[in-house]
Amino acid sequence: MQLYNSLSRAVEPFAPADGHTVRMYTCGPTVYNPAHIGNFRTFLFEDLLRRTLRLAGWKVEQVMNLTDVDDKIITRASQQGRTIREVTEPVTAVFHADRAHLRIEDAEHYPKATDYIPQMIALVERLVARGVAYKADDGSVYFAIGKFPAYGRLSRLDTREIKAGARVAQDDYAKENAQDFALWKAARPEDEASGAAWDSPWGRGRPGWHLECSAMAMDLLGETIDLHAGGVDLVFPHHEDEIAQSEAATGKPFARFWCHGEFLQVDGAKMAKRVGNVTNVADLRTQGVSGAALRHFVFSTHYRKQINLSGEALEGSLAAVRRVADFAARLATETGGTPELAVAAREAEAGARAALFDDLNAPEAMATLFSFITVANRELDRRGGDAAALAEARRVFGVIDGVLDIVPEAAGADDVLAAWVEERLAARAAARKARDFSRADAIRREIEARGVALEDTPQGTRWKPGA
Ligand code: AMP
Ligand code: ZN
């Protein structure tokens, strides 16, 4: 298995430090707004990563935190006269439902930042004791980047840019402001009013965003983790600051691998709330775009390349996953194959594994799957009767789809229903033509019993499901 490591800027061989379990931390959503599909592109990349790591034979222990206290959440809560918890709880529920729709596997842990305040305070105490953090006259505690020589290694910050003594209090800031950053922020009236203030050795206050991830990652996974992932926009300052806080406290490397996924764009601009170009999972559902189709769309581009969202591309993915669904249905109902089918299956498995283990080349794994579908359909047409070959084809399809997960389940079920209704309607038409009206009525009742509504029009019988 090879992965691109943002620390070295090179593709390197990857294995978990203990040879068994990959300990990985993935920065999760800030739960003040439902995540948009740009955010979900990153979470899908991480889903691809965890499924590929398991395909490689390792166990995965993944943490995805929920940022439930930060600048944006407090601003939102203050505007609405609510507590941060009242803002974050419903959004967290939406996040898990959207995640399920996109078939993003459950991580092993979803810690909420507000449940880790004691660990965060303990980490700041360690940093103060080591002389790399200090309480400033504004009552907040800052990390002194000048005291940590490795600062800027991940983002290749030119150390001459570092402004000694200058401080930045907000959670997110630009590279030009590489300054001492806030670990613990003194409470303001709006923090108290929204339930975002806790007691600490430095007085009432709340954690900075970066501190949250360091504390939760080390508490749940240990002081050196195998892999840390997120979107590219997190490299600076978020991940740079996570490294500084963690390594300055422990003296050990914080993460062995740093993996970053590229942006989902719309007309050349990053999909982002403040740009006003976001699409949510709820929007996709109304447009009839299944989770499987979005997965196909996202995995058709390598995770380190930008993707542009377009209606045409989504249409293409909808058609592609229908083809996969037809193939899955065919594999389930056929009774045998040919020896060539088994050969093609084994080649497809080898090709897909090689692609995925080569820095998660999902587009190539997908291409391998579609070539296999073409060959397999041709071989199945030959009606070879070789049950072992068919079993091999099913197994390999399961292996590849076990990572990509692009069979549209609901659409599959709908297709089966549609085929059945069409067949029954044809039987009913034949009965009517033969003037066997009691049989025609019996068929009508049979169809309606499945919740399908029928309407006879001069143009023929129309039907719709879900009545
Ligand atoms: P946030 O909730 O803003 O902390 O973001 C959650 C995750 O989504 C982070 O890993 C971000 O890097 C990622 N992200 C934000 N916008 C995009 C985008 N347009 N495309 C891909 N990933 C994104
Ligand atoms: Zn983080």
Side-chain angles (χ1 to χ4, degrees), residues 248-286:
T250 66
K252 297 177 195 158
F254 176 42
R256 299 170 51 237
F257 273 72
W258 286 87
C259 301
H260 293 101
E262 257 298 346
F263 288 148
L264 176 68
Q265 314 233 106
V266 184
D267 298 327
K270 174 192 176 190
M271 179 176 282
K273 187 83 190 158
R274 77 193 129 66
V275 183
N277 60 357
V278 303
T279 300
N280 295 328
V281 172
D283 301 326
L284 287 183
R285 285 179 135 146
T286 10

Coordinates of all heavy atoms in Angstrom, one line a residue, residues 248-286:
A248 N 4.9 19.7 20.7 CA 5.6 20.5 21.7 C 5.3 19.9 23.1 O 6.1 20.0 24.0 CB 5.1 21.9 21.6
A249 N 4.1 19.3 23.3 CA 3.7 18.7 24.6 C 4.4 17.4 24.8 O 4.8 17.1 25.9 CB 2.2 18.6 24.7
T250 N 4.4 16.5 23.8 CA 4.9 15.1 24.0 C 6.3 14.9 23.6 O 6.9 13.9 24.0 CB 4.0 14.1 23.1 OG1 4.3 14.4 21.7 CG2 2.6 14.3 23.4
G251 N 6.9 15.7 22.7 CA 8.2 15.5 22.2 C 8.2 14.3 21.2 O 9.3 13.9 20.8
K252 N 7.0 13.8 20.8 CA 7.0 12.7 19.8 C 6.3 13.2 18.5 O 5.5 14.1 18.6 CB 6.1 11.6 20.4 CG 6.7 11.0 21.6 CD 5.7 9.9 22.1 CE 6.0 9.5 23.6 NZ 4.9 9.0 24.3
P253 N 6.5 12.5 17.4 CA 5.8 12.8 16.2 C 4.3 12.6 16.5 O 3.9 11.6 17.1 CB 6.3 11.8 15.1 CG 7.5 11.2 15.7 CD 7.4 11.4 17.2
F254 N 3.4 13.5 16.0 CA 2.0 13.4 16.2 C 1.3 12.4 15.3 O 0.6 11.5 15.7 CB 1.4 14.8 16.1 CG -0.1 14.9 16.3 CD1 -0.8 14.1 17.2 CD2 -0.8 15.7 15.4 CE1 -2.2 14.2 17.3 CE2 -2.2 15.8 15.5 CZ -2.9 15.1 16.5
A255 N 1.6 12.6 14.0 CA 1.0 11.7 13.0 C 2.1 11.3 12.0 O 2.9 12.1 11.6 CB -0.2 12.4 12.2
R256 N 2.1 10.0 11.7 CA 3.1 9.5 10.7 C 2.8 9.9 9.3 O 3.7 10.2 8.5 CB 3.2 8.0 10.9 CG 3.7 7.5 12.3 CD 3.5 6.0 12.5 NE 4.2 5.3 11.4 CZ 3.6 4.4 10.6 NH1 2.4 4.1 10.8 NH2 4.3 3.8 9.7
F257 N 1.5 9.9 9.0 CA 1.1 10.3 7.6 C 0.0 11.4 7.7 O -0.9 11.3 8.6 CB 0.5 9.1 6.9 CG 1.5 8.2 6.2 CD1 2.3 7.4 6.9 CD2 1.5 8.3 4.8 CE1 3.3 6.6 6.2 CE2 2.5 7.5 4.1 CZ 3.3 6.7 4.8
W258 N 0.1 12.3 6.8 CA -0.9 13.4 6.7 C -1.4 13.3 5.3 O -0.7 13.3 4.3 CB -0.3 14.8 6.9 CG 0.0 15.0 8.4 CD1 1.2 14.7 9.0 CD2 -0.9 15.6 9.3 NE1 1.0 15.1 10.4 CE2 -0.2 15.6 10.6 CE3 -2.2 16.2 9.2 CZ2 -0.8 16.2 11.7 CZ3 -2.7 16.7 10.4 CH2 -2.0 16.7 11.6
C259 N -2.8 13.1 5.2 CA -3.4 12.9 3.9 C -4.5 13.9 3.7 O -5.3 14.1 4.5 CB -4.0 11.5 3.8 SG -2.8 10.2 4.0
H260 N -4.4 14.6 2.5 CA -5.3 15.7 2.3 C -6.1 15.5 1.0 O -5.4 15.2 -0.1 CB -4.6 17.0 2.3 CG -4.1 17.4 3.6 ND1 -2.8 17.2 4.0 CD2 -4.7 17.8 4.7 CE1 -2.6 17.5 5.3 NE2 -3.8 17.9 5.7
G261 N -7.4 15.7 1.0 CA -8.2 15.5 -0.2 C -8.5 16.9 -0.8 O -8.6 17.9 -0.1
E262 N -8.6 16.9 -2.1 CA -8.8 18.2 -2.8 C -10.3 18.6 -2.8 O -11.1 17.9 -2.4 CB -8.3 18.1 -4.3 CG -7.0 18.7 -4.6 CD -7.0 20.2 -4.4 OE1 -8.1 20.9 -4.2 OE2 -5.9 20.8 -4.3
F263 N -10.5 19.8 -3.3 CA -11.8 20.4 -3.2 C -12.8 19.9 -4.3 O -12.4 19.6 -5.4 CB -11.7 21.9 -3.4 CG -11.1 22.7 -2.3 CD1 -10.3 23.8 -2.6 CD2 -11.2 22.3 -1.0 CE1 -9.8 24.5 -1.5 CE2 -10.7 23.0 0.0 CZ -9.9 24.1 -0.2
L264 N -14.0 20.0 -3.9 CA -15.1 20.0 -4.8 C -15.4 21.5 -5.2 O -15.5 22.3 -4.3 CB -16.4 19.4 -4.2 CG -17.6 19.4 -5.1 CD1 -17.5 18.4 -6.2 CD2 -18.9 19.0 -4.3
Q265 N -15.4 21.7 -6.5 CA -15.6 23.1 -6.9 C -16.9 23.3 -7.7 O -17.5 22.3 -8.2 CB -14.5 23.5 -7.9 CG -13.1 23.0 -7.5 CD -12.2 24.2 -7.5 OE1 -11.8 24.8 -6.5 NE2 -11.8 24.6 -8.7
V266 N -17.4 24.5 -7.8 CA -18.5 24.8 -8.7 C -18.1 26.0 -9.6 O -17.7 27.0 -9.0 CB -19.7 25.3 -7.8 CG1 -20.9 25.5 -8.8 CG2 -20.1 24.2 -6.8
D267 N -18.1 25.8 -10.8 CA -17.6 26.8 -11.8 C -16.3 27.4 -11.4 O -16.1 28.6 -11.3 CB -18.6 28.0 -11.9 CG -20.0 27.5 -12.4 OD1 -20.0 26.6 -13.3 OD2 -21.0 28.0 -12.0
G268 N -15.4 26.5 -11.0 CA -14.0 26.9 -10.7 C -13.8 27.5 -9.3 O -12.7 27.9 -9.0
A269 N -14.9 27.6 -8.5 CA -14.7 28.1 -7.1 C -15.0 27.0 -6.1 O -15.8 26.2 -6.3 CB -15.6 29.3 -6.9
K270 N -14.2 27.0 -5.0 CA -14.4 26.1 -3.9 C -15.9 26.1 -3.5 O -16.4 27.2 -3.3 CB -13.5 26.4 -2.8 CG -13.7 25.5 -1.5 CD -13.0 26.1 -0.3 CE -13.3 25.3 0.9 NZ -12.8 25.9 2.2
M271 N -16.5 24.9 -3.3 CA -17.9 25.0 -2.8 C -17.8 25.4 -1.3 O -17.0 24.7 -0.5 CB -18.5 23.6 -2.9 CG -19.9 23.6 -2.3 SD -20.8 22.0 -2.5 CE -21.4 22.1 -4.2
A272 N -18.4 26.4 -0.9 CA -18.3 26.9 0.4 C -19.5 27.8 0.8 O -20.1 28.5 -0.1 CB -17.0 27.8 0.6
K273 N -19.9 27.7 2.0 CA -21.1 28.4 2.5 C -21.0 29.9 2.2 O -21.9 30.5 1.7 CB -21.2 28.2 4.0 CG -22.4 28.8 4.6 CD -23.6 27.8 4.5 CE -24.9 28.6 4.9 NZ -26.1 28.0 4.4
R274 N -19.8 30.4 2.4 CA -19.7 31.9 2.3 C -19.7 32.3 0.8 O -19.9 33.5 0.5 CB -18.5 32.5 3.1 CG -17.2 32.3 2.5 CD -16.0 32.6 3.5 NE -15.1 31.5 3.5 CZ -14.4 31.1 2.4 NH1 -14.4 31.8 1.3 NH2 -13.6 30.1 2.5
V275 N -19.4 31.4 -0.1 CA -19.4 31.8 -1.5 C -20.9 31.7 -2.0 O -21.3 32.3 -3.0 CB -18.5 30.8 -2.4 CG1 -18.5 31.2 -3.8 CG2 -17.1 30.8 -1.8
G276 N -21.7 30.9 -1.2 CA -23.1 30.8 -1.6 C -23.4 29.8 -2.7 O -24.4 30.0 -3.4
N277 N -22.5 28.9 -2.9 CA -22.7 27.9 -4.0 C -22.8 26.5 -3.6 O -22.4 25.5 -4.2 CB -21.5 28.0 -5.0 CG -20.2 27.7 -4.3 OD1 -20.1 27.4 -3.1 ND2 -19.1 27.7 -5.0
V278 N -23.5 26.3 -2.4 CA -23.5 24.9 -1.8 C -24.7 24.1 -2.3 O -25.8 24.6 -2.5 CB -23.4 24.9 -0.3 CG1 -22.2 25.7 0.2 CG2 -24.7 25.5 0.3
T279 N -24.5 22.8 -2.4 CA -25.5 21.8 -2.6 C -25.4 20.9 -1.4 O -24.3 20.5 -1.0 CB -25.2 21.0 -3.9 OG1 -25.2 21.9 -5.0 CG2 -26.3 20.0 -4.1
N280 N -26.6 20.6 -0.8 CA -26.6 19.7 0.3 C -27.1 18.3 -0.1 O -27.6 18.1 -1.2 CB -27.5 20.2 1.4 CG -27.0 21.5 2.0 OD1 -25.8 21.8 2.1 ND2 -28.0 22.4 2.4
V281 N -26.9 17.4 0.8 CA -27.4 16.0 0.5 C -28.9 16.1 0.3 O -29.5 15.4 -0.6 CB -27.0 15.0 1.6 CG1 -27.7 13.7 1.4 CG2 -25.5 14.9 1.7
A282 N -29.6 16.9 1.1 CA -31.1 17.0 0.9 C -31.4 17.5 -0.6 O -32.4 17.0 -1.2 CB -31.7 18.0 1.9
D283 N -30.6 18.4 -1.1 CA -30.8 18.9 -2.5 C -30.7 17.7 -3.5 O -31.4 17.6 -4.4 CB -29.8 20.0 -2.9 CG -29.9 21.2 -2.0 OD1 -31.1 21.5 -1.5 OD2 -28.9 21.8 -1.7
L284 N -29.6 16.9 -3.2 CA -29.4 15.8 -4.1 C -30.6 14.8 -4.1 O -31.0 14.3 -5.2 CB -28.2 15.0 -3.6 CG -26.8 15.5 -3.8 CD1 -25.8 14.5 -3.4 CD2 -26.6 15.9 -5.3
R285 N -31.1 14.6 -2.9 CA -32.3 13.7 -2.8 C -33.4 14.2 -3.6 O -34.1 13.4 -4.3 CB -32.7 13.6 -1.3 CG -31.7 12.7 -0.6 CD -32.2 12.6 0.9 NE -32.2 11.3 1.4 CZ -31.9 11.0 2.6 NH1 -31.7 11.9 3.5 NH2 -31.9 9.7 3.0
T286 N -33.7 15.5 -3.5 CA -34.8 16.0 -4.3 C -34.5 15.9 -5.8 O -35.5 15.7 -6.6 CB -35.1 17.5 -4.0 OG1 -34.1 18.1 -3.2 CG2 -36.4 17.8 -3.4

